[in-house]
Each structure stands twice: as C-alpha cells, then as structure tokens.
C-alpha cells in the first residue's frame, strides 16, 4: 500500500508571512534606510563642483538617492 505525505507538493521554503519573514523585512528596510541616509550625508558634504561632475545640484541630492530623479540621471549612465 502506498501513502502520500500531506506535505507532498508543498514548497520547502519558509512561508513569506511568518514572524521571521516580517522581522527580516523590517531589518532590510532599516538597513536600506540607514544606507540611503548615509549617501545623502556623503553627497551633502561634497562641494558644488563635485556634485556638478556627477550631474546633480544640491537641491537634487535626496531625489537622486531615493530614486525619484531617474529620467535626468539616465542620460549620464
């Protein structure tokens, strides 16, 4: 007699809605936020000439870091 396990056909990957998945997402979000804040701080420390060399001015720093400046930056990439 053959029996089929109830887990047959199920993915062995952890569920994406559990406590640890939520914790991992929160940690990823936190690290991403900290990295972006660091990038904004670093760019703010540059002089205007260096910013002009990379194609942005001081008022566009946050938009560039947070990805809201794609169309203008894409011509330099």
């Amino acid at each position: 007699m053959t029996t089929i396990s109830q887990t047959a056909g199920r993915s062995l990957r952890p569920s994406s809605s559990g406590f640890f998945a939520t914790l991992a997402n929160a940690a990823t979000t936190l690290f991403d936020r900290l990295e972006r804040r660091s990038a904004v701080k670093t760019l703010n420390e540059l002089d205007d000439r260096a910013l002009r060399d990379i194609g942005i001015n001081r008022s566009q720093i946050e938009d560039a870091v947070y990805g809201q400046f794609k169309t203008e930056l894409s011509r330099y990439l």
Side-chain angles (χ1 to χ4, degrees), residues 8-44:
R10 289 188 189 170
S11 174
L12 297 177
R13 292 166 41 200
S15 70
S16 61
S17 61
F19 171 74
F20 291 109
T22 302
L23 186 61
N25 286 338
T28 301
T29 302
L30 175 65
F31 289 130
D32 185 48
R33 175 77 177 149
L34 292 174
E35 187 175 351
R36 289 176 189 261
R37 285 180 60 193
S38 176
V40 168
K41 182 180 176 192
T42 301
L43 287 171
N44 275 319

Side-chain angles (χ1 to χ4, degrees), residues 48-63:
D48 290 334
R49 181 174 178 230
L51 289 173
R52 197 172 37 239
D53 284 345
I54 61 173
I56 61 174
N57 60 40
R58 196 157 303 282
S59 67
Q60 298 169 324
I61 290 174
E62 288 194 23
D63 290 340

